[in-house]
Amino acid sequence: MKTKKYICAANWKMNLSYEKAKDFVSMLNEKVSTGSVHCQMEGGILKSSLCVFPQAVQATLFKDVSNLSWGAQDFYFENDGAFTGQNSPEIYKELGADIMLIGHSERRSLFNETNAFIKKKIEKCKSLDLVPMLCVGETLEEKKAGKTLDVLKKQLEEVLPMDNGMYSGDQQIIIAYEPVWAIGSGLTADTKDIEEAHGFVKSLMGESTNVLYGGSVRPENAKELSSDKNVDGFLIGGASLKLDSFLAIHETLNN
Ligand code: PGA
């Protein structure tokens, strides 16, 4: 039986100096190229099970890195034009990106991103053959009110083609379930909540959709947080800023 390859995605957010990011990418690339880290995904939707979302200004660091999955933390839904300050998805594609992060809760809450806007970005990914990683998740208030699954449903339904409550598109999408209250807080969802949320997302999206968990993942809690069969990997913020802890999480899941 083929063992499952867990995806570990680094969301650097607005962190790491250019030089630090450069060292990170060159050390990671060396480990992958020399075979000391095994992360190639043959026949998968991504090039590798390790994946990095750098800041836009760090993106050129990945230009000559051909064996790692990476892409934008954010981008605009047009290729070019009079959109001051925006980043073109086509340029990411030109530099070799294969995956794009969409709808992170910080984009939704701090930059007022709506589901209508998110939908356009998912469609843009389709036209450029980039894999969207769509983030969904409830706030603490919504959790306390018992609304988690309703929130997830709405966040999926309003941005994806759905038929009778089931995903009906042919685009391969990765979903990252990130409870908003667990992001950067040191708190994590408990395994029962993860089981329920991931099972629910798979019931709408289909069993083969990769569903990652995100929110205060660390090398120490990675094993426990991945215990449910419907967890296919992690989206990692703080613990992805150091190569050692990022790789330790990947190793915990894949060995
Ligand atoms: P965190 O961030 O691991 O620092 O909680 C996760 C994320 O925001 O994707």
Side-chain angles (χ1 to χ4, degrees):
M1 204 180 81
K2 194 170 172 296
T3 49
K4 161 163 149 182
K5 197 94 179 156
Y6 288 86
I7 297 166
C8 286
N11 177 9
W12 284 352
K13 309 191 182 184
M14 207 173 77
N15 292 301
L16 297 181
S17 67
Y18 190 78
E19 288 304 319
K20 281 193 178 140
K22 190 173 170 186
D23 289 347
F24 188 116
V25 176
S26 78
M27 283 189 288
L28 178 56
N29 191 32
E30 166 146 350
K31 283 181 190 291
V32 174
S33 317
T34 56
S36 73
V37 169
H38 297 279
C39 61
Q40 299 316 305
M41 303 254 281
E42 275 123 52
I45 53 172
L46 298 179
K47 274 180 254 175
S48 90
S49 56
L50 283 167
C51 158
V52 183
F53 296 110
Q55 293 182 54
V57 287
Q58 297 158 337
T60 50
L61 295 171
F62 292 81
K63 191 167 163 279
D64 300 315
V65 174
S66 58
N67 47 15
L68 277 173
S69 283
W70 71 279
Q73 293 174 12
D74 184 42
F75 61 98
Y76 197 57
F77 56 76
E78 297 287 353
N79 288 339
D80 44 43
F83 305 106
T84 302
Q86 296 300 304
N87 289 300
S88 161
E90 207 174 37
I91 291 183
Y92 278 90
K93 180 82 187 175
E94 188 185 349
L95 291 174
D98 59 345
I99 181 163
M100 304 292 252
L101 193 61
I102 301 181
H104 188 278
S105 79
E106 286 151 19
R107 301 282 337 151
R108 294 177 191 257
S109 66
L110 301 173
F111 304 101
N112 303 321
E113 263 190 35
T114 61
N115 282 335
F117 193 65
I118 288 169
K119 185 179 172 111
K120 289 192 177 152
K121 295 204 267 188
I122 291 178
E123 287 165 0
K124 186 74 217 172
C125 282
K126 184 169 187 187
S127 73
L128 289 173
D129 200 19
L130 289 161
V131 176
M133 182 183 289
L134 171 65
C135 302
V136 294
E138 82 287 356
T139 61
L140 191 55
E141 209 177 24
E142 290 162 340
K143 179 181 164 59
K144 284 185 179 157
K147 291 191 184 146
T148 298
L149 301 189
D150 294 338
V151 169
L152 300 182
K153 188 162 184 247
K154 187 168 155 65
Q155 286 174 334
L156 293 172
E157 264 178 6
E158 291 191 359
V159 306
L160 297 173
M162 292 281 195
D163 192 11
N164 275 326
M166 291 283 299
Y167 178 57
S168 59
D170 55 5
Q171 185 180 12
Q172 285 189 302
I173 293 177
I174 297 175
I175 306 292
Y177 168 58
E178 298 204 300
V180 177
W181 50 272
I183 295 175
S185 64
L187 303 170
T188 59
D190 64 34
T191 44
K192 207 175 98 319
D193 292 340
I194 293 177
E195 193 179 324
E196 187 180 44
H198 283 232
F200 180 70
V201 170
K202 290 221 181 197
S203 75
L204 303 185
M205 295 298 299
E207 282 297 305
S208 61
T209 299
N210 285 291
V211 183
L212 314 188
Y213 168 79
S216 299
V217 176
R218 304 274 176 273
E220 308 80 56
N221 60 20
K223 189 93 216 155
E224 194 188 344
L225 291 171
S226 65
S227 57
D228 181 57
K229 67 172 182 356
N230 288 328
V231 174
D232 300 307
F234 294 132
L235 178 57
I236 309 154
S240 75
L241 298 175
K242 292 221 158 65
L243 184 58
D244 287 355
S245 57
F246 183 45
L247 291 179
I249 295 170
H250 184 259
E251 172 115 357
T252 301
L253 297 190
N254 287 301
N255 285 300

